[in-house]
Amino acid sequence: MKQILFFFIISNALIFSCSSSNNEDITEVEEIEKEIIEIEEEEEEETPTEETSKITWKNWYLSVPLDNGDGKATSVFYEAIENNTLTTAQSKYFYKNDDGSYTLFTKFTGFTTSGKSELNGKYCRTELREFWRGNQSTTDNWSMSTGTHILESTLKVDYVEGNGRTIVAQIHGKETDGLEGSPATVKIRWNSGEIQIDYYTKPDAGEPWTSAFDEKLNVGKVDNEIFTFKIKIENGKFYYGLVCEAKGINTDYTLIYDYVGNGYAHENYFKTGNYYGWNADYTKTAQVILYEVKTEHK
């Protein structure tokens, strides 16, 4: 487009210059240069950046399994991701690829978000945690009792050593006034190529929401292909969707569980990434590629 416009403008200028003075020619050339610059600036403004269209980084922070100085995992905030200022150590676990996707690598290092863990203790992760209003605060959470809340995460699991399990998306409950615990309410697990939904159900009277009352559901085998997992909370109910073009999977939103109807009242946030289900040694690793994350709260 630029070349065509340039040729058109120059052609008109040459025709015009045949009947003009030298001073007029100089003025005409200056005007042409000004028009070309304006056209280029307009085209640059109209071209959306890949970063903006793929992930709104202000709505997330990244956790990597490195010691932050007090024995807990390190939090990396959106400015470092946008400005590409992660440290060399952090960039081993999270980095941008040539196609605009991001690699999330992890292994058991002992450094978790809740503190140092020994082998066969807790699990490590390279994972994004949502700040849905962009406030960059762990108080930035949402309730299932109002509104509609959607996560769509597009990923590919490169490999998972060991037991073959890593969690790629979650609804996580936040400790809430009057309620016990911070439940991992919904976990979307890649289990040796199978997508598995692990979701908490109503506990016994007086008991908190924990994995003691969870149920599991296999919903599609994606292997190492690109897939999009969708989570929706609407009217207090949990729905899922799954798309994997390579495997011919296109599952529309399907009702799984009525949380609010069963008394669930925790505030929540979304997570996505590589929460590796391995803690038996320090050598085995897992790698997930993140292509796009979309969230909607209305």
Side-chain angles (χ1 to χ4, degrees), residues 52-94:
T52 300
S53 63
K54 296 291 184 183
I55 303 173
T56 303
W57 284 114
K58 191 175 181 180
N59 294 119
W60 302 93
Y61 88 77
L62 171 71
S63 177
V64 294
L66 296 170
D67 187 0
N68 69 358
D70 64 0
K72 294 185 178 181
T74 297
S75 297
V76 180
F77 293 92
Y78 79 98
E79 295 93 342
I81 297 173
E82 288 186 334
N83 298 323
N84 194 28
T85 56
L86 277 71
T87 67
T88 300
Q90 292 166 0
S91 296
K92 175 182 177 181
Y93 291 90
F94 181 85

Side-chain angles (χ1 to χ4, degrees), residues 99-264:
D99 63 357
S101 65
Y102 290 84
T103 294
L104 294 91
F105 168 84
T106 200
K107 64 178 181 177
F108 184 79
T109 64
F111 298 106
T112 73
T113 54
S114 57
K116 185 75 167 65
S117 178
E118 300 302 325
L119 289 176
N120 299 305
K122 297 182 179 180
Y123 300 104
C124 295
R125 80 287 301 274
T126 301
E127 189 180 41
L128 299 176
R129 193 267 199 211
E130 181 193 27
F131 294 140
W132 78 284
R133 293 189 181 94
N135 292 334
Q136 293 291 299
S137 166
T138 55
T139 62
D140 198 350
N141 309 297
W142 45 268
S143 171
M144 291 189 184
S145 62
T146 58
T148 298
H149 310 278
I150 295 172
L151 168 75
E152 296 185 3
S153 192
T154 301
L155 313 113
K156 180 181 73 170
V157 177
D158 274 348
Y159 63 86
V160 180
E161 296 175 341
N163 58 17
R165 297 197 296 267
T166 190
I167 293 169
V168 297
Q170 295 187 66
I171 296 176
H172 209 291
K174 176 73 175 172
E175 191 163 338
T176 305
D177 289 343
L179 299 172
E180 183 181 346
S182 301
T185 310
V186 174
K187 292 173 281 191
I188 310 306
R189 183 182 291 105
W190 187 94
N191 190 346
S192 299
E194 183 78 33
I195 299 300
Q196 182 181 67
I197 302 173
D198 186 346
Y199 62 103
Y200 290 7
T201 62
K202 186 175 182 177
D204 293 342
E207 296 292 324
W209 290 79
T210 70
S211 59
F213 305 95
D214 69 347
E215 294 190 13
K216 294 179 174 61
L217 179 66
N218 292 336
V219 296
K221 193 167 180 62
V222 301
D223 293 324
N224 302 104
E225 304 292 348
I226 297 173
F227 66 95
T228 298
F229 197 90
K230 304 177 183 182
I231 296 173
K232 179 169 71 171
I233 299 294
E234 186 175 53
N235 298 322
K237 298 180 177 69
F238 162 46
Y239 299 79
Y240 91 93
L242 177 63
V243 176
C244 180
E245 185 176 344
K247 295 291 186 177
I249 300 171
N250 189 3
T251 306
D252 201 0
Y253 279 117
T254 303
L255 176 64
I256 297 297
Y257 194 71
D258 183 353
Y259 274 102
V260 172
N262 280 286
Y264 184 90

